[in-house]
Amino acid sequence: MSSKQQRFSSTLQIAAKSRTHTAAPLPPLSALPTKVLLRSLLVSTISSKPLLLGPSLWLMSILSKPNRGWLTNVDRNPILHGILKKTFYEQFCAGETDAETRATIRELKDMGFRGVIMTYAKETVFDHHTNTQQGLGIAALDAKNNDDPLHPRVAHCANIEAWQKGTLETIKQLSDGDYLAMKLTGAGPIVTEAFSKGELPPTQMLDALDEICRRCKERNVRILVDAESHHFLLGMRRTTLDLMRKYNHDGYALIYFTYQAYLKSTPATLERHMAAAQQEGFTLGLKLVRGAYIASDERSLIHDTKQDTDDAYNGIAQGVLKQSFGKFGTETTFPSVNLFLASHNKASVVDAHQLHKQRTAAGLPTVPVGFAQLHGMSDEVSFSLLQLKGVDGTPEVYKCSTWGTMGECLAYLLRRAIENRDAVMRTTDEYNALKAEFGRRIRAAFSFSSS
Ligand SMILES: Cc1cc2nc3c(=O)[nH]c(=O)nc-3n(C[C@H](O)[C@H](O)[C@H](O)COP(=O)(O)OP(=O)(O)OC[C@H]3O[C@@H](n4cnc5c(N)ncnc54)[C@H](O)[C@@H]3O)c2cc1C
């Protein structure tokens, strides 16, 4: 940044904190540093204009295909890398190195968030339409050690080792009260093969998970296991439930599984898991999302309309907060549950927070709840929640980010771009809110410099 740009940016930063009307409360986005506001405005301009988003999506889907030549390889072509890094990557991801990631975590906590949720980006996405799975940089690693990556001749799998190493590095970046989010498919084809058959992964992976859980417990970092493509869910659920049985015994959830409200089967799955928690005496870690794989998963498994998904999401969230879901809380006692609501839908999260607050104030039964939005998305929702924070420190709001090389983060970035395209109303609202905040700072800067 030139000194002129720096002066402009710091004037806008001071203007961010000044009130346009003496009595009016500051808008939620006033908490956003100017550098972040400008980048968000750029990305949101692209996301809200189909003419700009269409070509960006096309380019990103080409780049996210494995084994690209030099020109379209984001980790090897410095010009492509530089452009993507300063725009989409920095908007949605934490860093390519440990130092970059730590700096982003500090920046997010300085903005007022209770903590961060950090993921290591390596993952495998299964495309139901083509019956293929895609995991950047994954098969190559196993192929180096084994002729057939799915049926290794040696007992040791290099992909699991690389994923474990990346995940253990992530834990070191986190501190007391933060969350580690894990994409289990990042461990490669041997693991995803087991998951797709509904089986537990090999011993090397189970040992890796044990070590990860122990390290997180020592650092008071909790673990959110992401829900991924439906093709892998059965095995992922079995594995995570076993970890809950083992580690969620101290009156709180060290491990959470992610339940996708858009799946028609989710209420039944949840009831089975609640029954296990109640009978076996562990705390169920319940992270609730709507679901991000609508473009690649089998459509018939997903609710027919957005309204049905919304009703399912709100029904589960409100039911659990009232300790009344299915037969639990009526026919039988409600198990110990820790809830985590991950959503950009303002109505869902604000209503859930209000319900939790009312029930706590009235001394009615409820469950502990946290809230999270993705880094670079829905800042207006995150800061609105933060503005509701009371003396008891609730709502606890987190930002969820991803770290890894540009190549490793591409599948994630592509999902975010698709999500912005599909959530037209929300993307437009976000763009308008960012534009309004930028205008407010410009007006405040002028009145500041002329006073
Ligand atoms: C912190 C955080 C962590 C996340 N972790 C995961 C994860 O582990 N696994 C995962 O799958 N997703 C995850 N997501 C993404 C999430 O599933 C949603 O895709 C995303 O948050 C958008 O949904 P929303 O609740 O924010 O609200 P909205 O923007 O109101 O809802 C959009 C969602 O509604 C659903 N939907 C849209 N159109 C239709 C339709 N026609 N029919 C049926 N349903 C429809 C889709 O799920 C879509 O994503 C995470 C999100 C956050 C904020």
Side-chain angles (χ1 to χ4, degrees):
M1 238 194 227
S2 70
S3 60
K4 213 170 169 183
Q5 281 171 321
Q6 258 163 5
R7 270 205 308 280
F8 174 67
S9 177
S10 59
T11 311
L12 283 187
Q13 196 60 59
I14 295 165
K17 293 181 180 120
S18 69
R19 289 166 191 270
T20 35
H21 305 291
T22 37
L26 284 171
L29 289 178
S30 61
L32 216 52
T34 299
K35 183 185 81 173
V36 182
L37 174 70
L38 294 175
R39 194 182 55 228
S40 302
L41 195 54
L42 170 72
V43 171
S44 140
T45 305
I46 297 172
S47 305
S48 60
K49 309 272 179 276
L51 274 178
L52 297 174
L53 186 61
S56 313
L57 267 172
W58 172 78
L59 182 65
M60 241 188 268
S61 62
I62 297 236
L63 299 177
S64 62
K65 302 251 180 322
N67 309 322
R68 312 293 314 157
W70 177 86
L71 200 61
T72 50
N73 184 319
V74 287
D75 287 325
R76 286 164 60 206
N77 179 335
I79 299 169
L80 198 56
H81 182 273
I83 294 171
L84 276 175
K85 179 90 185 236
K86 285 286 158 212
T87 50
F88 285 94
Y89 184 92
E90 287 188 355
Q91 179 68 10
F92 300 113
C93 299
E96 292 194 86
T97 62
D98 185 60
E100 283 177 10
T101 307
R102 283 175 192 273
T104 307
I105 293 176
R106 213 170 309 118
E107 188 178 65
L108 289 170
K109 288 188 179 172
D110 286 348
M111 287 184 215
F113 293 104
R114 167 72 181 79
V116 293
I117 303 165
M118 191 58 68
T119 324
Y120 176 45
K122 237 184 221 305
E123 65 177 311
T124 304
V125 175
F126 184 88
D127 190 337
H128 164 76
H129 307 294
T130 55
N131 238 4
T132 54
Q133 55 185 51
Q134 207 176 95
L136 289 159
I138 284 178
L141 254 183
D142 268 344
K144 230 178 355 185
N145 293 276
N146 313 290
D147 301 334
D148 177 357
L150 290 182
H151 305 97
R153 279 181 281 109
V154 288
H156 187 79
C157 167
N159 274 319
I160 298 178
E161 189 185 329
W163 177 83
Q164 178 181 8
K165 189 165 166 275
T167 307
L168 290 174
E169 271 175 50
T170 317
I171 299 171
K172 286 194 209 139
Q173 293 157 355
L174 300 173
S175 44
D176 196 284
D178 287 334
Y179 285 76
L180 168 78
M182 291 198 292
K183 283 200 183 347
L184 301 184
T185 61
I190 296 169
V191 170
T192 55
E193 176 79 357
F195 285 159
S196 61
K197 291 185 198 151
E199 292 170 2
L200 294 177
T203 312
Q204 186 191 345
M205 180 68 176
L206 294 175
D207 290 345
L209 288 170
D210 258 333
E211 186 182 0
I212 290 163
C213 290
R214 282 196 309 272
R215 295 269 187 100
C216 283
K217 202 173 161 99
E218 280 160 23
R219 291 179 82 89
N220 196 22
V221 165
R222 300 198 201 188
I223 303 171
L224 305 168
V225 178
D226 280 1
E228 305 182 52
S229 307
H230 185 267
H231 189 70
F232 305 129
L233 274 191
L234 209 56
M236 291 175 71
R237 270 197 224 120
R238 268 188 72 184
T239 309
T240 312
L241 207 60
D242 277 358
L243 290 173
M244 286 199 216
R245 286 188 173 102
K246 191 163 175 185
Y247 289 99
N248 289 3
H249 274 290
D250 299 326
Y252 76 97
L254 177 72
I255 324 279
Y256 293 64
F257 188 62
T258 303
Y259 297 82
Q260 295 162 316
Y262 70 6
L263 291 179
K264 294 173 182 165
S265 57
T266 291
T269 308
L270 205 46
E271 286 197 42
R272 278 199 310 278
H273 291 193
M274 282 177 148
Q278 187 204 46
Q279 283 154 20
E280 298 169 46
F282 65 87
T283 299
L284 185 75
L286 193 177
K287 174 186 153 203
L288 187 64
V289 299
R290 277 182 169 75
Y293 296 82
I294 197 165
S296 52
D297 271 352
E298 197 178 326
R299 190 62 184 85
S300 62
L301 300 172
I302 295 172
H303 283 301
D304 300 337
T305 64
K306 166 81 163 66
Q307 188 59 50
D308 288 349
T309 299
D310 289 347
D311 293 345
Y313 189 94
N314 296 329
I316 296 169
Q318 306 253 333
V320 171
L321 285 167
K322 288 184 198 153
Q323 292 208 356
S324 172
F325 184 76
K327 63 181 180 187
F328 299 97
T330 47
E331 292 165 39
T332 178
T333 53
F334 200 85
S336 170
V337 176
N338 286 181
L339 181 64
F340 206 96
L341 294 177
S343 174
H344 301 141
N345 187 304
K346 197 170 177 177
S348 290
V349 291
V350 170
D351 289 355
H353 168 62
Q354 301 293 10
L355 178 64
H356 182 252
K357 205 168 116 181
Q358 282 160 13
R359 293 189 72 84
T360 310
L364 293 168
T366 188
V367 303
V369 60
F371 297 88
Q373 289 75 46
L374 297 175
H375 175 200
M377 288 181 85
S378 297
D379 285 326
E380 211 266 334
V381 175
S382 304
F383 291 117
S384 295
L385 275 174
L386 280 179
Q387 284 187 336
L388 297 175
K389 195 155 148 185
V391 280
D392 62 351
T394 67
E396 291 192 343
V397 189
Y398 297 78
K399 272 290 188 190
C400 176
S401 195
T402 292
W403 80 281
T405 64
M406 182 80 71
E408 286 169 340
C409 288
L410 271 177
Y412 175 79
L413 287 174
L414 184 61
R415 268 205 309 283
R416 300 290 76 83
I418 291 173
E419 205 167 288
N420 276 336
R421 180 197 62 190
D422 294 345
V424 182
M425 279 287 282
R426 196 189 63 216
T427 309
T428 311
D429 286 352
E430 266 174 53
Y431 169 66
N432 288 336
L434 288 162
K435 213 168 59 168
E437 174 58 16
F438 180 68
R440 189 191 72 80
R441 287 189 199 189
I442 293 283
R443 283 191 302 281
F446 276 116
S447 61
F448 174 75
S449 55
S450 61
S451 62

